[in-house]
Amino acid sequence: MVTNIAPSAFEGLEPESLWLLTPGQRLPLAVRELRRLAPTRVRAEPFAVVLRGPAEPMLSQGIHRLAHPRWGEMDLFIVPIGRDASGVDYEIVFN
């Protein structure tokens, strides 16, 4: 569980500085949206981040490895939330 990552970890990142790591592939990601959520007892700064990836392949909902330029590799629950001809949007909620 990633407990100490804050919304600021996704602010100001260069496009495609994040990667989804799948067997044999590195899929580039860009931050599309960052939403701060209401504080909870468990996390003072909960948030959701929407990441844009390539149109193919579209990964299924589940645990995937994300490579972050400052935080390294993390296994996170990632949900595809939208797709069009130019790419797929994935959401990660840190709560």
Side-chain angles (χ1 to χ4, degrees):
M1 181 168 149
V2 180
T3 58
N4 55 351
I5 196 164
S8 60
F10 291 93
E11 293 173 335
L13 291 178
E14 294 293 320
E16 299 185 356
S17 62
L18 298 168
W19 298 86
L20 270 178
L21 306 178
T22 64
Q25 290 184 309
R26 288 172 40 112
L27 304 176
L29 299 173
V31 176
R32 283 195 75 160
E33 180 183 353
L34 182 64
R35 288 187 326 274
R36 295 173 192 275
L37 305 172
T40 67
R41 288 180 290 143
V42 178
R43 184 179 285 273
E45 289 186 274
F47 66 100
V49 62
V50 175
L51 305 171
R52 180 74 164 181
E56 294 292 333
M58 180 174 161
L59 301 178
S60 62
Q61 172 177 302
I63 305 291
H64 296 282
R65 181 153 292 181
L66 177 77
H68 186 282
R70 292 185 296 247
W71 289 81
E73 295 180 7
M74 302 174 269
D75 291 327
L76 299 170
F77 189 77
I78 299 174
V79 178
I81 59 168
R83 182 182 199 183
D84 60 27
S86 64
V88 178
D89 290 332
Y90 297 96
E91 183 177 57
I92 306 169
V93 178
F94 294 86
N95 62 359

